[in-house]
Amino acid sequence: MGRGFSFTTDAHGFGSLSVPLIPLALYEAFECYLWPGTPYALVRDVSMGIVWEGRVEDITIIEGGISLTAFGYQRALYDAPYTGFFSKSGSANWK
């Protein structure tokens, strides 16, 4: 992993993770955009075990490889404002 990575925690759990450079060849960097699903990020310390985990949200190709930004799973609660629309409904007219 590249130098200078950092992660935070807050009152809700794992905050953000920033990895400024993961060295990759250009063709390998473009393959990162093809990862299926939501990529998972994990920071593990030999003596402490898992110290941070979450999902990768931003993958950026930069000179020399890629940079990653990830957020803890509590971030899912902030995704989009709820804009539901309610109306009267029923099955009386259903055929």
Side-chain angles (χ1 to χ4, degrees):
M1 191 177 308
R3 294 181 180 211
F5 80 96
S6 63
F7 60 91
T8 64
T9 58
D10 57 30
H12 305 289
F14 300 122
S16 63
L17 169 70
S18 174
V19 184
L21 174 63
I22 297 175
L24 294 172
L26 186 59
Y27 76 92
E28 292 173 314
F30 275 103
E31 288 177 353
C32 294
Y33 288 131
L34 301 176
W35 289 342
T38 303
Y40 171 76
L42 176 75
V43 177
R44 184 186 309 250
D45 181 70
V46 175
S47 62
M48 296 175 61
I50 296 172
V51 294
W52 193 94
E53 65 181 317
R55 63 184 186 180
V56 175
E57 291 195 12
D58 297 313
I59 301 170
T60 306
I61 296 176
I62 58 173
E63 185 176 339
I66 62 171
S67 68
L68 299 177
T69 303
F71 296 97
Y73 289 116
Q74 52 87 16
R75 168 86 168 188
L77 300 174
Y78 300 106
D79 277 350
Y82 182 73
T83 58
F85 177 77
F86 292 94
S87 66
K88 183 178 177 184
S89 65
S91 60
N93 295 323
W94 187 76
K95 295 181 182 183

